């Protein structure tokens, strides 16, 4: 990891660079199980099921979309996703940020942030050690879906930052901050969505649940949705850590999008572009005047949610994400490449 500053006249470029090369080089593997490997999947070890009180987030999984509207009202917005469901987003209160994945009128996944969200018996902000005392965290996680057998295998880093557990029959990814040792957020998923997204290395026997085909127009809508989600989630996390929210900067977002698109099309992953140069070059070409600037990039996460959590758990990226001096942010997403450009505009 590296961090350096470059001073040019009055422009200070603050690079919080700590490139996540692992995201590009170590994609989750997908392999078929042979007969000798089936026993542990057919007879999985007991997984702790926690009893959740009424009124917690778990209750929403029994609701349809009409009941959800009755309970919480209409969402602040509805976003497209790459996985067949729509994100119903409730974002007005950063202390109770919720994304509901709704497919055919049914809630199939939920993502939550915010210190006042009820995820009993867990709690956003509680110590990792307390979380570990309540749930069973294991490296190998077996599950059966409609007669098909699957087994996820988590790396040491994944166990420390986003373990997979089962709570009252619902699978949950726990997003942990490895630097201050707290629970940041939680994503709940039904088994089909979990297998379809494949967030960890996977072995399977039977049918692999495929991801839906996406048209070019749908891909555009997903890109716009993920850019807005990354922006909003970044601000929720900043506020959770006592930092002021950032303002959207459209010209900087266009620069960030251009870098993500170029990395995808030219098949490289770096802050320094062989075509468009450094961040300072890209901002200059975008006619953006600034006092400070920084950049985070990521690749091959399942979506923008996990990209932001990945940045939070990487020292250099974290410095940019939580930097108190930055005032504006532009986000650009293309395929599975994600770029955040932070700036302090010169006005």
């Amino acid at each position: 990891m590296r961090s350096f500053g470059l001073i040019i006249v009055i422009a200070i470029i603050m690079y919080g660079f700590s490139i996540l090369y692992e995201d590009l080089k170590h994609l989750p593997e997908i392999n078929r199980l042979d007969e000798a490997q089936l026993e542990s999947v057919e007879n999985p070890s007991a997984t702790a099921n926690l009893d959740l009180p009424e009124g917690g987030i778990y209750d929403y999984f029994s609701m349809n979309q009409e009941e959800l509207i009755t309970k919480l009202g209409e969402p602040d917005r509805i976003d497209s996703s790459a996985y067949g469901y729509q994100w119903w987003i409730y974002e007005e209160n950063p202390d109770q940020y919720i994304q509901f994945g709704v497919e055919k009128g049914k809630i199939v996944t939920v993502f939550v942030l915010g210190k006042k969200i009820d995820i009993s018996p867990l709690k956003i902000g509680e110590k990792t050690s307390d979380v570990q005392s309540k749930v069973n965290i294991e490296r190998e996680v077996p599950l059966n879906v409609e007669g098909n057998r699957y087994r996820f295998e988590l790396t040491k880093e994944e166990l420390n930052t986003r373990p997979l557990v089962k709570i009252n029959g619902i699978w949950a990814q726990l997003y942990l901050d490895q630097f201050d040792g707290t629970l940041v957020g939680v994503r709940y998923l039904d088994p089909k969505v979990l297998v379809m997204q494949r967030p960890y290395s996977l072995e399977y026997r039977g049918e692999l649940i495929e991801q839906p085909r996406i048209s070019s127009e749908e891909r555009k809508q997903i890109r716009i949705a993920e850019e807005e989600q990354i922006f909003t989630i970044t601000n929720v996390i900043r506020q959770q850590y006592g930092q002021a929210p950032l303002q959207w900067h459209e010209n900087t977002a266009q620069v960030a999008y251009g870098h993500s698109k170029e990395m995808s099309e030219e098949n490289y992953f770096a802050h320094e572009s062989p075509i468009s140069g450094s961040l300072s070059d890209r901002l200059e070409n975008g006619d953006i005047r600034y006092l400070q600037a920084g950049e985070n990039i990521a690749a091959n996460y399942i979506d923008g949610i996990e990209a932001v959590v990945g940045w939070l758990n990487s020292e250099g990226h974290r410095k940019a994400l939580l930097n108190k001096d930055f005032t504006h942010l532009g986000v650009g997403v293309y395929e599975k490449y994600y770029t955040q450009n932070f700036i302090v505009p010169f006005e």
Side-chain angles (χ1 to χ4, degrees):
M1 298 186 212
R2 60 195 177 95
S3 174
F4 58 89
L6 174 63
I7 301 177
I8 304 178
V9 193
I10 62 170
I12 305 174
I13 306 175
M14 297 180 58
Y15 290 97
F17 295 166
S18 171
I19 302 174
L20 295 176
Y21 286 115
E22 290 182 338
D23 300 317
L24 192 65
K25 293 181 178 178
H26 300 293
L27 295 173
E29 295 181 356
I30 303 172
N31 298 304
R32 281 189 176 274
L33 289 164
D34 59 34
E35 293 293 337
Q37 296 172 310
L38 289 177
E39 184 178 354
S40 64
V41 182
E42 291 175 337
N43 302 290
S45 59
T47 305
N49 274 326
L50 303 179
D51 291 327
L52 301 184
E54 291 186 6
I57 201 70
Y58 176 78
D59 286 356
Y60 289 99
F61 272 91
S62 63
M63 296 182 185
N64 57 38
Q65 66 182 48
E66 289 77 17
E67 292 169 327
L68 178 61
I69 292 172
T70 300
K71 179 75 172 178
L72 295 181
E74 295 285 347
D76 296 312
R77 71 175 195 270
I78 296 177
D79 283 354
S80 300
S81 86
Y83 300 105
Y85 53 79
Q86 292 182 312
W87 281 119
W88 287 33
I89 299 177
Y90 293 81
E91 62 181 2
E92 184 175 345
N93 183 354
D95 286 331
Q96 294 180 309
Y97 179 85
I98 313 178
Q99 293 187 197
F100 292 98
V102 179
E103 183 177 17
K104 298 179 181 178
K106 179 184 176 184
I107 296 172
V108 296
T109 184
V110 184
F111 170 68
V112 299
L113 286 173
K115 294 183 177 180
K116 293 183 179 179
I117 196 78
D118 183 2
I119 59 168
S120 303
L122 303 178
K123 184 178 180 180
I124 300 296
E126 75 175 317
K127 291 295 183 182
T128 298
S129 57
D130 293 332
V131 172
Q132 292 170 335
S133 71
K134 297 176 182 178
V135 297
N136 187 26
I137 297 176
E138 296 188 359
R139 185 175 67 86
E140 293 186 353
V141 181
L143 66 153
N144 299 338
V145 182
E146 297 179 349
N148 302 299
R149 287 151 289 185
Y150 307 94
R151 182 169 63 202
F152 289 108
E153 184 171 339
L154 281 66
T155 65
K156 182 178 180 180
E157 180 184 359
E158 289 165 345
L159 288 171
N160 290 332
T161 60
R162 51 187 185 99
L164 178 64
V165 301
K166 201 172 188 180
I167 304 177
N168 249 30
I170 298 294
W171 292 99
Q173 290 179 276
L174 307 181
Y175 294 120
L176 304 173
D177 182 338
Q178 67 176 344
F179 290 96
D180 70 1
T182 60
L183 178 64
V184 178
V186 182
R187 187 198 304 242
Y188 304 87
L189 313 96
D190 76 9
K192 287 185 178 179
V193 172
L194 175 58
V195 173
M196 177 178 59
Q197 290 185 338
R198 305 193 279 275
Y200 314 97
S201 291
L202 175 66
E203 296 177 315
Y204 71 100
R205 183 76 171 185
E207 296 295 326
L208 187 62
I209 300 173
E210 296 294 339
Q211 298 172 359
R213 295 181 180 274
I214 300 171
S215 69
S216 58
E217 179 57 33
E218 289 171 330
R219 200 171 298 279
K220 178 181 177 181
Q221 294 305 315
I222 292 166
R223 171 181 69 79
I224 294 171
E226 288 205 321
E227 289 172 349
E228 189 162 359
Q229 287 170 36
I230 289 172
F231 173 74
T232 304
I233 292 169
T234 295
N235 275 336
V236 171
I237 288 177
R238 283 176 63 89
Q239 289 171 271
Q240 212 165 292
Y241 284 77
Q243 301 299 337
L246 303 169
Q247 299 179 52
W248 181 261
H249 197 277
E250 181 59 32
N251 290 345
T252 301
Q254 292 302 316
V255 171
Y257 171 72
H259 190 53
S260 290
K261 186 172 187 288
E262 185 185 285
M263 286 192 293
S264 175
E265 293 180 342
E266 300 299 326
N267 193 30
Y268 75 91
F269 184 61
H271 294 284
E272 188 79 19
S273 163
I275 298 172
S276 53
S278 67
L279 173 60
S280 59
D281 295 325
R282 296 192 291 275
L283 291 173
E284 182 179 351
N285 290 336
D287 294 324
I288 297 169
R289 302 176 68 204
Y290 59 94
L291 295 174
Q292 297 181 30
E295 180 173 83
N296 284 341
I297 60 175
N300 294 319
Y301 283 100
I302 64 168
D303 58 18
I305 293 171
E306 295 225 334
V308 176
V309 176
W311 287 325
L312 185 67
N313 273 306
S314 172
E315 185 175 4
H317 296 87
R318 180 190 184 92
K319 288 178 180 178
L321 192 75
L322 300 179
N323 190 305
K324 65 181 178 61
D325 295 323
F326 289 134
T327 58
H328 292 71
L329 173 63
V331 180
V333 175
Y334 188 83
E335 301 295 339
K336 292 297 182 182
Y337 288 81
Y338 307 89
T339 301
Q340 284 183 312
N341 284 161
F342 302 86
I343 66 165
V344 177
F346 176 71
E347 301 183 12

